[in-house]
């Protein structure tokens, strides 16, 4: 169980295993009720357990109603996050055969812009890209990033600001084409 690598304390690891064994099917049901898809529900439960592993200090008694409520809320929120991102993705996906003949160039333009923005992010210098990925993809705080990268929070803030400037300049350059 790779979740245990996130947890430091042996006692918290033991509690996590008990929670996992006791509540994973309940959490799966909660996620499935939101998503109506077994595979997506599994993804939601996986995300929920990652969040739980990061927040084991919030769990005091495995058998308590508060713990059960907390686990249900985390699973439901993870499922809702997946639902929202899938819904947004579905809105953005336009299939050529569903579009009118005059809408084709718009689709290509949007795809080109999306690809160019992804290229900008991929081509950021590594020290900025790593901070951006941790901050905006993993939703980590500056303090958490500071611990992971072993640099000060001030340096994190500076790299975010400089990375944003690089991105802004590149977008302006693309718009000027």
């Amino acid at each position: 169980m790779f979740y245990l690598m996130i947890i430091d304390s042996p006692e918290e690891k033991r509690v996590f295993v008990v929670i996992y064994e006791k509540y994973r099917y309940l959490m799966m049901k909660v996620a499935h009720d939101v998503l109506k898809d077994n595979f997506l529900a599994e993804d939601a439960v996986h995300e929920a357990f990652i969040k739980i592993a990061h927040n084991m200090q919030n769990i005091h008694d495995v058998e308590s109603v508060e713990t059960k409520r907390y686990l249900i809320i985390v699973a439901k929120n993870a499922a809702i996050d997946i639902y929202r991102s899938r819904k947004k993705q579905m809105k953005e996906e336009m299939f050529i055969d569903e579009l009118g003949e005059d809408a084709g160039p718009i689709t290509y333009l949007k795809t080109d812009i999306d690809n160019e923005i992804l290229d900008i992010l991929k081509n950021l210098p590594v020290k900025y890209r790593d901070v951006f990925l941790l901050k905006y993809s993993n939703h980590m705080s500056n303090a958490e990033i500071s611990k992971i990268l072993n640099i000060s929070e001030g340096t994190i803030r500076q790299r975010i600001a400089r990375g944003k400037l690089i991105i802004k300049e590149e977008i302006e350059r693309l718009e000027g084409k």
Side-chain angles (χ1 to χ4, degrees):
M1 212 185 307
F2 84 95
Y3 304 111
L4 298 178
M5 294 187 320
I6 298 170
I7 303 168
D8 295 327
S9 157
E11 177 61 23
E12 287 180 348
K13 286 181 181 186
R14 186 193 63 73
V15 169
F16 184 87
V17 170
V18 172
I19 288 169
Y20 183 85
E21 293 297 324
K22 183 171 178 94
Y23 294 109
R24 68 180 165 177
Y25 295 112
L26 171 64
M27 293 169 67
M28 183 70 174
K29 182 188 178 330
V30 168
H32 189 272
D33 288 348
V34 172
L35 295 165
K36 311 291 188 235
D37 180 281
N38 286 334
F39 295 111
L40 292 176
E42 285 176 9
D43 290 346
V45 171
H46 170 73
E47 291 298 321
F49 274 117
I50 290 173
K51 289 176 186 172
I52 292 164
H54 282 293
N55 295 295
M56 283 302 294
Q57 69 277 4
N58 294 337
I59 298 173
H60 305 291
D61 178 16
V62 175
E63 302 293 328
S64 73
V65 173
E66 291 81 17
T67 297
K68 188 174 181 179
R69 189 177 304 133
Y70 171 71
L71 298 174
I72 289 171
I73 289 169
V74 171
K76 184 176 182 181
N77 286 343
I80 290 170
D81 288 345
I82 289 174
Y83 176 81
R84 285 181 182 149
S85 68
R86 297 272 301 174
K87 187 176 177 183
K88 182 179 176 186
Q89 181 183 5
M90 295 294 263
K91 271 187 190 178
E92 290 180 357
E93 287 180 1
M94 294 179 162
F95 299 101
I96 301 296
D97 57 341
E98 294 177 2
L99 300 173
E101 290 179 21
D102 58 344
I106 295 171
T107 302
Y108 294 125
L109 178 63
K110 179 166 176 43
T111 302
D112 289 345
I113 290 171
D114 289 345
N115 288 337
E116 288 174 343
I117 291 173
L118 284 174
D119 286 341
I120 291 170
L121 294 174
K122 283 186 216 173
N123 292 324
L124 271 177
V126 174
K127 65 182 182 180
Y128 302 126
R129 187 176 59 230
D130 288 348
V131 171
F132 266 77
L133 287 173
L134 293 171
K135 178 82 172 176
Y136 298 109
S137 290
N138 294 359
H139 310 289
M140 297 178 120
S141 70
N142 290 354
E144 292 169 323
I145 298 169
S146 173
K147 287 179 187 173
I148 290 171
L149 298 179
N150 199 25
I151 55 179
S152 72
E153 286 185 55
T155 303
I156 301 295
R157 286 190 296 274
Q158 186 180 52
R159 288 183 182 179
I160 289 171
R162 287 182 180 165
K164 285 179 180 178
L165 281 175
I166 293 169
I167 292 168
K168 181 182 175 195
E169 289 169 1
E170 287 297 313
I171 289 173
E172 288 172 353
R173 185 184 60 77
L174 288 174
E175 289 173 347
K177 279 186 175 178

